Amino acid sequence: SQTIHQWPATLVQPVGSPLSLECTVEGTSNPNLYWYRQAAGRGLQLLFYSVGIGQISSEVPQNLSASRPQDRQFILSSKKLLLSDSGFYLCAWSGGTGDGYTFGSGTRLTVV
Amino acid sequence: QKEVEQNSGPLSVPEGAIASLNCTYSDRVSQSFFWYRQYSGKSPELIMSIYSNGDKEDGRFTAQLNKASQYVSLLIRDSQPSDSATYLCAAQYNFGNEKLTFGTGTRLTIIP
């Protein structure tokens, strides 16, 4: 069966520090991968999606970037965090069958 | 701008009653619709998907879709306290990358 792993679960980072969040999927090949952010009391905002290795599409201009160095690995990064980057970051995957996403357990990021 | 609208609630329903959650979407091209349940502090979990007009039942859950009215709903029968959560409606409008657009969610509280 397919599983998605996301880490770390919780992160507290100072303003201006770098960020790296990692997500991996097991049990499938060539998944579609997504990064979402959920700010406190708000909906899910799509940040990036990828349909293959090295293929990244950005939905919202910001100081974040994403990379997909391997088929089942998706990384969210920032060189310098802002206070507004705080939120609940969710990685998700889909299998190209139109059956919706499966989300990882999420990373709660607090920028201080 | 493709949008999915939900009443943010909170919606309070007595235990054992039927909870009715509603969602409208703006893009007539949208073909697939999903309901996710999100417990506080946790990641969203897919509970229902619907692709055709009409009703789809799965246990205590029934999803209803009316494409002419651009309206999706979720009914929860025999509501239990464990159903207390935020329910997110999502629409898929791109079969290639399967991006989902989410509503902001409806917070449901089941009163014992």
Side-chain angles (χ1 to χ4, degrees), chain B residues 10-86:
Chain B
L11 175 65
S12 296
V13 173
E15 183 176 356
I18 296 175
S20 178
L21 303 162
N22 305 314
C23 170
T24 59
Y25 60 95
S26 64
D27 180 16
R28 288 191 175 274
V29 178
S30 296
Q31 295 294 318
S32 303
F33 303 89
F34 305 89
W35 284 99
Y36 285 81
R37 177 176 62 200
Q38 186 175 24
Y39 292 115
S40 180
K42 302 296 185 182
S43 62
E45 171 192 15
L46 179 64
I47 55 172
M48 288 287 286
S49 59
I50 187 165
Y51 311 105
S52 304
N53 278 326
D55 295 359
K56 179 181 178 182
E57 187 174 319
D58 184 359
R60 295 187 296 111
F61 298 97
T62 300
Q64 299 174 318
L65 174 60
N66 184 324
K67 290 188 177 182
S69 301
Q70 295 177 244
Y71 180 88
V72 191
S73 64
L74 179 70
L75 302 177
I76 306 175
R77 291 183 299 281
D78 187 23
S79 296
Q80 302 297 309
S82 59
D83 295 326
S84 296
T86 296

Side-chain angles (χ1 to χ4, degrees), chain A residues 71-92:
Chain A
D71 181 43
R72 289 167 287 180
Q73 183 184 30
F74 205 23
I75 298 171
L76 181 70
S77 304
S78 174
K79 293 182 179 178
K80 290 186 177 182
L81 284 169
L82 306 173
L83 287 174
S84 57
D85 291 324
S86 293
F88 191 37
Y89 287 81
L90 291 156
C91 180

Side-chain angles (χ1 to χ4, degrees), chain A residues 43-97:
Chain A
L44 288 164
Q45 178 187 34
L46 179 62
L47 302 175
F48 301 94
Y49 68 91
S50 172
V51 298
I53 296 174
Q55 301 179 59
I56 309 295
S57 296
S58 173
E59 289 291 298
V60 181
Q62 56 205 325
N63 69 321
L64 299 172
S65 62
S67 63
R68 185 170 176 173
Q70 300 180 43
D71 181 43
R72 289 167 287 180
Q73 183 184 30
F74 205 23
I75 298 171
L76 181 70
S77 304
S78 174
K79 293 182 179 178
K80 290 186 177 182
L81 284 169
L82 306 173
L83 287 174
S84 57
D85 291 324
S86 293
F88 191 37
Y89 287 81
L90 291 156
C91 180
W93 77 274
S94 66
T97 58

